[in-house]
Amino acid sequence: MIRFFLVIACLFGLAGCATGPVDGYPAHGADDGPEIVGSLFASDQAVMSDAAVQQALDGVVNMPENARIALLDLSPKTQAVRHYGWYYWRSEDYMDQQAQYFDALSTPLVTLPGVRRVVPMPSFTVTKEMTLSQIREAAVRLQIDQLVIYSLRSDIFYKWRFLSANEVRGYATCELALFDTRTGIMPYTSIVTHKEVVMQKSSQEGLAETEMRAEVAASEICLKKIAAGTADFVGRGGRHGQ
């Protein structure tokens, strides 16, 4: 008899669960109560007003004429340390590589008719601990209109069993954001990943040298691709193509 009552109780419990709300969250309907049009948190008001938020979301950022653009490299230095050691900045090959990376990213921008100049952001003006507001202020001190912030990461594939003995596959990923220093808005962002296959030049070339060539080749092509997209956006005056 006790077992019979337990079964009945379980059935009632299951029936009650079946008729309850599916997601279990008693949210109001779309038409219940007044519409919330601004922030209800005091801490948000101290950072950015509701009017400023609305203007930033609804407004359009136009590229200035004769724009002065700076490139800010926030890439991790793991690749440099891996290939050139802890004193990588003293390596001539490393310095030449950085110059090639800068040219790959800056050339599509500097050739635009509305760009006055493209320069690297001096390393002593920006640190990793700085906020976006502080980075913006540093760019303004240098009279920079647009700041191209980017981070490049690269490595090689280690699945050697799928590769031939003289083949190395490198890959690179670049993240980029265009930062308008006049408004503090980032009207354009992009992420590009590229893979590159490099063959060992000769038996005299060590594996480390082939790996470095694969990473550099992938990184340079990745930067060229992301620079082309950025230049297209800037060339359109800050408007996306239809």
Side-chain angles (χ1 to χ4, degrees):
M1 182 64 67
I2 295 176
R3 183 176 300 176
F4 172 77
F5 283 112
L6 288 175
V7 171
I8 296 299
C10 289
L11 290 176
F12 276 110
L14 291 175
C17 291
T19 57
V22 177
D23 55 8
Y25 190 79
H28 292 286
D31 299 327
D32 294 342
E35 179 186 3
I36 299 176
V37 296
S39 174
L40 305 179
F41 304 93
S43 59
D44 293 339
Q45 299 293 334
V47 178
M48 193 173 185
S49 67
D50 292 339
V53 170
Q54 194 66 36
Q55 185 178 2
L57 294 177
D58 296 340
V60 176
V61 177
N62 294 318
M63 299 296 106
E65 297 182 0
N66 297 321
R68 296 157 295 189
I69 299 177
L71 306 183
L72 175 57
D73 184 7
L74 297 181
S75 306
K77 300 304 180 183
T78 53
Q79 175 186 336
V81 174
R82 186 167 65 252
H83 293 309
Y84 302 103
W86 290 104
Y87 299 98
Y88 57 86
W89 60 85
R90 301 177 61 181
S91 170
E92 182 179 0
D93 292 337
Y94 171 77
M95 299 304 296
D96 291 341
Q97 177 198 97
Q98 296 305 300
Q100 292 175 5
Y101 287 171
F102 179 81
D103 290 341
L105 195 55
S106 63
T107 299
L109 293 170
V110 76
T111 55
L112 295 175
V115 175
R116 183 189 307 181
R117 68 174 186 267
V118 179
V119 298
M121 193 74 174
S123 59
F124 59 82
T125 61
V126 178
T127 64
K128 293 182 178 180
E129 293 75 19
M130 293 176 66
T131 64
L132 284 176
S133 297
Q134 292 171 326
I135 291 176
R136 178 193 179 196
E137 182 176 338
V140 171
R141 289 179 183 274
L142 297 175
Q143 294 185 314
I144 296 300
D145 300 299
Q146 304 287 332
L147 189 61
V148 176
I149 306 174
Y150 69 99
S151 176
L152 178 68
R153 303 186 306 275
S154 63
D155 211 326
I156 60 172
F157 290 104
Y158 287 98
K159 295 182 179 180
W160 302 114
R161 60 183 180 275
F162 298 113
L163 308 177
S164 61
N166 60 345
E167 180 182 285
V168 174
R169 295 184 182 181
Y171 72 91
T173 299
C174 185
E175 299 176 309
L176 180 147
L178 183 65
F179 191 20
D180 182 67
T181 57
R182 298 178 185 273
T183 62
I185 291 178
M186 295 182 180
Y188 178 82
T189 60
S190 179
I191 300 177
V192 173
T193 298
H194 180 76
K195 302 176 185 178
E196 189 73 10
V197 179
V198 171
M199 306 299 296
Q200 192 172 12
K201 288 183 177 181
S202 63
S203 58
Q204 285 76 30
E205 183 182 49
L207 179 60
E209 295 176 284
T210 308
E211 291 177 351
M212 182 166 56
R213 287 198 301 109
E215 284 193 55
V216 171
S219 299
E220 195 166 344
I221 295 176
C222 186
L223 287 173
K224 288 181 178 180
K225 286 184 176 181
I226 205 167
T230 307
D232 180 69
F233 178 80
V234 174
R236 293 176 183 272
R239 294 175 175 82
H240 293 279
Q242 301 296 326

